[in-house]
């Protein structure tokens, strides 16, 4: 059994070595660190390398869950993927340790919450689409989204349960407006300069291809 550590530090982190020191103290023989990465859509090359390095029987160790997950649903996908490969997860600051019965129970509870969140988003989206169709709303009528609509679009986009075209139909705009709004949001000072543009979406309006992590 090999303990493999993963840490992620942003450009504003004043103590970039703190996570690595704690991972070494927890017995990690190998540590992967992504530096200057904070956005939900930013690439994490060391995370990808960490996933490639892990083997069945290994234990992935991290300081907090937000170091490995971009959202709750993404976190559950990551944890399920590790479980399918026979890899355990241990989180130092939170009661998640899938090598123990209690830790596995916490993981199961997180999965139930994530499923509940997905169901709520799906139900709200379907209701919104039905209302839009009943009113005869077509994409492209609006040219600007309110901050609240942009936040809703971001939530739907990050959940990856609906196509960009469906999100655009719900908000009464075209797909290009969704792309521009999300890009402006992640480039604003409130979101952070480290974020990159939204991932490429297929020409048919589908969601971006899933990236590891």
């Amino acid at each position: 059994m090999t303990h493999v550590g993963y840490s992620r530090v942003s450009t504003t982190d004043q103590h970039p070595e703190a996570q690595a020191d704690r991972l070494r103290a927890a017995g990690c023989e190998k540590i992967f660190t992504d530096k200057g990465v904070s956005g939900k859509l930013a690439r994490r090359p060391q995370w990808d390398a960490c996933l490639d390095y892990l083997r069945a029987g290994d234990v992935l160790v991290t300081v907090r869950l937000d170091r490995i997950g971009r959202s709750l649903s993404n976190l559950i996908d990551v944890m399920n993927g590790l479980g399918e490969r026979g890899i355990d997860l241990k989180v130092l600051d939170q009661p998640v340790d899938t090598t123990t019965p209690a830790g596995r129970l916490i993981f199961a509870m997180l999965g139930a919450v994530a499923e509940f969140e997905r169901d709520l988003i799906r139900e709200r989206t379907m209701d919104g689409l039905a209302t839009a169709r009943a009113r005869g709303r077509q994409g492209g009528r609006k040219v600007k989204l309110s901050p609240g609509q942009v936040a809703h679009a971001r939530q739907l986009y990050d959940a990856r349960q609906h196509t960009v075209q469906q999100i655009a139909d719900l908000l009464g705009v075209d797909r290009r407006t969704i792309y521009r709004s999300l890009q402006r949001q992640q480039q604003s000072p409130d979101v952070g300069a480290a974020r990159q543009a939204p991932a490429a979406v297929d020409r048919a309006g589908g969601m971006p291809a899933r990236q590891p992590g």
Side-chain angles (χ1 to χ4, degrees):
M1 177 186 297
T2 300
H3 285 64
V4 179
Y6 174 76
S7 66
R8 177 173 60 81
V9 295
S10 67
T11 53
T12 59
D13 198 324
Q14 297 179 350
H15 305 286
E17 296 301 322
Q19 291 183 53
D21 290 343
R22 295 188 60 192
L23 293 173
R24 279 190 287 268
C28 293
E29 304 171 24
K30 178 78 173 178
I31 297 175
F32 295 85
T33 301
D34 277 310
K35 298 181 179 179
V37 175
S38 58
K40 286 185 178 180
L41 297 179
R43 289 190 65 254
R44 296 183 292 173
Q46 287 301 299
W47 171 247
D48 295 341
C50 179
L51 291 178
D52 288 339
Y53 182 86
L54 289 164
R55 296 291 183 269
D58 289 346
V59 179
L60 173 63
V61 185
T62 190
V63 174
R64 297 192 308 275
L65 287 170
D66 64 1
R67 301 299 88 186
I68 63 174
R70 302 175 186 273
S71 65
L72 179 58
S73 58
N74 172 243
L75 175 63
I76 297 302
D77 288 340
V78 169
M79 295 173 71
N80 281 331
L82 293 174
E84 290 171 359
R85 296 172 57 190
I87 300 166
D88 283 305
L89 174 66
K90 182 176 183 179
V91 184
L92 301 182
D93 285 351
Q94 292 157 320
V96 176
D97 183 353
T98 60
T99 65
T100 68
R104 287 191 290 272
L105 175 61
I106 295 295
F107 168 64
M109 293 172 63
L110 287 173
V113 172
E115 183 63 28
F116 176 69
E117 180 186 49
R118 284 193 291 266
D119 288 343
L120 285 179
I121 292 174
R122 186 181 303 112
E123 181 178 359
R124 287 197 299 266
T125 301
M126 292 299 101
D127 288 346
L129 289 172
T131 300
R133 285 193 295 268
R135 294 176 178 175
R137 182 185 300 171
Q138 300 296 326
R141 289 189 179 182
K142 294 183 179 180
V143 296
K144 185 177 180 180
L145 298 178
S146 69
Q149 288 175 316
V150 174
H152 189 200
R154 168 64 64 187
Q155 183 183 30
L156 296 175
Y157 183 86
D158 289 343
R160 297 176 183 238
Q161 298 295 313
H162 308 283
T163 68
V164 174
Q165 186 62 60
Q166 286 177 322
I167 299 173
D169 290 342
L170 171 62
L171 298 176
V173 297
D174 58 27
R175 287 188 293 135
R176 289 176 296 179
T177 300
I178 297 295
Y179 299 145
R180 288 195 297 266
S181 297
L182 295 180
Q183 185 172 7
R184 282 196 298 268
Q185 182 199 51
Q186 65 195 22
Q187 289 177 346
S188 67
D190 291 339
V191 178
R195 291 190 174 181
Q196 299 178 358
V201 178
D202 65 69
R203 297 180 183 273
M207 297 305 293
R210 184 181 298 277
Q211 299 296 324

